[in-house]
Amino acid sequence: DTKKNPNLCVVHTLARGRGNEPVMLLLQKARPEIRFMVHAPKEEGKRLTTLYKQSFGLSRISVWDPVDQQSFLKNASEAHMAISMDEWGSFGRFPLDMAALGIPCITSRKSTCGSMLWPELCTDPFFEVPQTLGLISTLQDPFIREQHVHRARMNLLALQTDRNVLEESVRSLM
């Protein structure tokens, strides 16, 4: 955790998702030193950057296009937390990537991977903003952050084991 930047927060957003904005706005008001790395397609990234800067006053934002996934993951690995507040149901690749990088991810309950890997960090993007801010505050403690990462990795291993058992069972039926 020593190589993590306490002022860097990775944010995943989609064209259809607006759940991150209230959390980002309140987080920047509470901690103006926070810098956001937004994961969004290039055109959407330009639109979001303008929107965040003009409408929400968020000034410390950089946008990474998912096409450049390797560079994004390399730079994201320095963050000490991630936020993925997709208002729509999704598989949740982003929370999965964050578990692999060892970055706790506050995520929407509507994310399949998010709710399996980070159950204690799941919240509602619109109705539980105070709870989300409380989770962000809790994650400032390196020990608590590490506990969440450890649990997410154990959950990931359990999912992999369940998949292997299921595949073995299917093969034995053939």
Side-chain angles (χ1 to χ4, degrees):
D1 199 57
T2 55
K3 66 179 181 176
K4 303 291 185 193
N5 179 346
N7 296 328
L8 181 60
C9 177
V10 183
V11 180
H12 180 249
T13 192
L14 302 169
R16 62 182 189 200
R18 295 180 307 275
N20 292 311
E21 284 91 350
V23 173
M24 290 172 67
L25 178 60
L26 291 170
L27 179 55
Q28 189 172 52
K29 282 185 176 183
R31 295 201 40 221
E33 72 281 6
I34 284 285
R35 186 169 55 92
F36 296 100
M37 246 183 99
V38 178
H39 190 242
K42 190 172 255 169
E43 289 307 310
E44 177 64 6
K46 287 178 186 175
R47 186 191 72 78
L48 287 172
T49 301
T50 302
L51 173 72
Y52 290 165
K53 287 180 180 176
Q54 291 175 352
S55 303
F56 298 107
L58 299 173
S59 57
R60 299 171 59 99
I61 296 195
S62 60
V63 178
W64 290 80
D65 192 322
V67 171
D68 191 10
Q69 188 72 2
Q70 189 173 3
S71 292
F72 169 76
L73 292 174
K74 181 179 181 237
N75 286 284
S77 68
E78 297 174 13
H80 81 293
M81 74 174 155
I83 300 173
S84 180
M85 292 296 170
D86 191 355
E87 63 185 327
W88 298 66
S90 69
F91 172 72
R93 167 70 192 264
F94 185 81
L96 179 65
D97 288 341
M98 295 302 105
L101 291 173
I103 301 169
C105 185
I106 298 170
T107 184
S108 167
R109 284 191 184 92
K110 296 179 181 183
S111 163
T112 303
C113 268
S115 60
M116 288 190 290
L117 298 175
W118 307 101
E120 295 154 348
L121 297 180
C122 285
T123 185
D124 183 282
F126 294 105
F127 303 110
E128 297 173 358
V129 173
Q131 177 190 357
T132 304
L133 291 173
L135 290 172
I136 289 167
S137 180
T138 301
L139 289 176
Q140 301 311 306
D141 182 321
F143 179 73
I144 292 173
R145 247 189 342 268
E146 194 53 44
Q147 284 182 320
H148 283 290
V149 169
H150 178 73
R151 270 181 259 163
R153 288 182 170 164
M154 291 293 104
N155 292 340
L156 188 56
L157 286 172
L159 289 173
Q160 183 62 40
T161 302
D162 291 347
R163 179 178 171 214
N164 292 343
V165 169
L166 180 62
E167 286 175 354
E168 207 171 290
S169 297
V170 169
R171 275 194 296 274
S172 70
L173 294 173
M174 297 179 145

